[in-house]
Structures are given as C-alpha cells and as structure tokens.
Amino acid sequence: NAGVTQTPKFRILKIGQSMTLQCTQDMNHNYMYWYRQDPGMGLKLIYYSVGAGITDKGEVPNGYNVSRSTTEDFPLRLELAAPSQTSVYFCASTPAAAGETYEQYFGPGTRLTVT
Amino acid sequence: KQEVTQIPAALSVPEGENLVLNCSFTDSAIYNLQWFRQDPGKGLTSLLLIQSSQREQTSGRLNASLDKSSGRSTLYIAASQPGDSATYLCASAGTYKYIFGTGTRLKVLA
C-alpha cells in the first residue's frame, strides 16, 4: 500500500491563479481530510469528507473547494490564490465510522507559496 | 468548541533525560487522543493512539496517558535521544474530526 499520496510536493503561485492539490489513498478509507499548517502552528481543518459524494466545511474553508467523486480521491481546489493561502497542506484519511476508534494517516504534504 | 493546548511550546533537554509533554483539551467528549511526531519539513507520523476507554498506551520508550475527566493527556519519553528531536502534536478526535494542538518543539542535546 502506498498509503496517502499528495501531488505536487511544492508549488509557487501568483496571486489570482488557480490550482488543484491532489490527494489519493489506497486503503479504502471512507473519511478524508484537508488541513493547512502555518509556520509554528498546529493543523487547521479546511474540509472533510465522510464518503464519496459527501463533503463538509472545517474550521477554515474560505477560498477553497473540494469534491469527492470516488473513495480514493479528494482534490482541493484554490480558485483565486491569495498570499494568506501560503501554507503547507496535508491530506489525511481514516477508516469508517463514527464511534469506532480510528487512526489518522497523513500524506507528505504540499508546500504552497503565493506571491 | 473543542480547544487543544500544548505546553510547553518548546523544550530543550540533555540526552538521557526523561521528559513529559502535556496536552489539554476543553471538551471531554472525545473518541480518542492521538500523538504525532513531525520532523522539520515533513508530514506527521502517528506515535500513539489512546481510545477514550483507555488510560494509557505504550510503545517502546513512549508512554501516553489520558484523563478525560480533567481534559489532559501526557506523552512521556524515557531516556531521550538526539533522534527524538522533533515537534510533537496531540489531536483529539470528535465525531468525524480531529482538533490539533499547536505542538511542542523538542530538542535533545547530545
């Protein structure tokens, strides 16, 4: 199993550009998450999904969009990049279901700079 | 709203010392508490997960405890080594979501 993979590893965007951060997991996990981590800070939840076709907002969703058309993939879209979106982005996944113990598995992250 | 706090923010110790990292959370209705390690410029590696019904978990030189009633978890590292230098994050699991602390940056001096 590759686990959780993310592409690209690094990206520099100009203000106003758009891009999609890719996330794929091969563990058949229902739950997937997108976080951002600013320097010296913990992780903040952007969006999450409890299964294909179901997504919901986290703590800091503004400026981002997600989709979940398959169990494996959970892309994060930035439509109009702003300097405030400079951060490291992590994708994670967990097995189903609420009430059970689930461990989060993380991808290696995407380091995004918006200038 | 769940808030997770980690104290201290940074810690520097000589090699061989035993040390304790602290994690506090405001809402005791959690499913589990997970500790992670993060090396500079890297992703998160899971260290220990304590289920809400458990009091502690151990892995090698690491021991994590959970006291839901007081809203606290501790990570105990025995006989610290320079290779333990990293940032340690705790996260509480509620329904569907994890809430993370800001981490403790640990440096073990040789």
Side-chain angles (χ1 to χ4, degrees), chain B residues 71-88:
Chain B
R72 291 183 182 177
S73 177
T74 61
L75 179 66
Y76 175 82
I77 303 176
S80 58
Q81 304 169 357
D84 294 331
S85 298
T87 296
Y88 292 80

Side-chain angles (χ1 to χ4, degrees), chain B residues 30-51:
Chain B
I30 62 173
Y31 287 117
N32 64 59
L33 193 292
Q34 194 168 0
W35 283 91
F36 295 86
R37 170 185 172 136
Q38 186 176 30
D39 292 293
K42 303 290 187 183
L44 278 72
T45 301
S46 177
L47 296 173
L48 289 166
L49 182 148
I50 313 173
Q51 298 179 31

Side-chain angles (χ1 to χ4, degrees), chain B:
Chain B
K1 178 186 171 186
Q2 176 75 289
E3 292 183 3
V4 179
T5 305
Q6 290 187 250
I7 295 173
L11 183 62
S12 188
V13 300
E15 181 178 6
E17 265 203 14
N18 302 325
L19 58 101
V20 175
L21 307 181
N22 296 295
C23 174
S24 301
F25 47 94
T26 55
D27 185 351
S28 62
I30 62 173
Y31 287 117
N32 64 59
L33 193 292
Q34 194 168 0
W35 283 91
F36 295 86
R37 170 185 172 136
Q38 186 176 30
D39 292 293
K42 303 290 187 183
L44 278 72
T45 301
S46 177
L47 296 173
L48 289 166
L49 182 148
I50 313 173
Q51 298 179 31
S52 62
S53 59
Q54 296 176 322
R55 297 284 292 183
E56 64 180 84
Q57 280 284 344
T58 298
S59 175
R61 295 182 295 108
L62 304 180
N63 176 277
S65 69
L66 176 64
D67 184 344
K68 282 179 58 178
S69 62
S70 66
R72 291 183 182 177
S73 177
T74 61
L75 179 66
Y76 175 82
I77 303 176
S80 58
Q81 304 169 357
D84 294 331
S85 298
T87 296
Y88 292 80
L89 295 153
C90 67
S92 70
T95 305
Y96 309 137
K97 304 181 204 178
Y98 274 85
I99 302 296
F100 281 81
T102 52
T104 293
R105 192 169 61 254
L106 173 66
K107 187 167 185 178
V108 181
L109 305 169

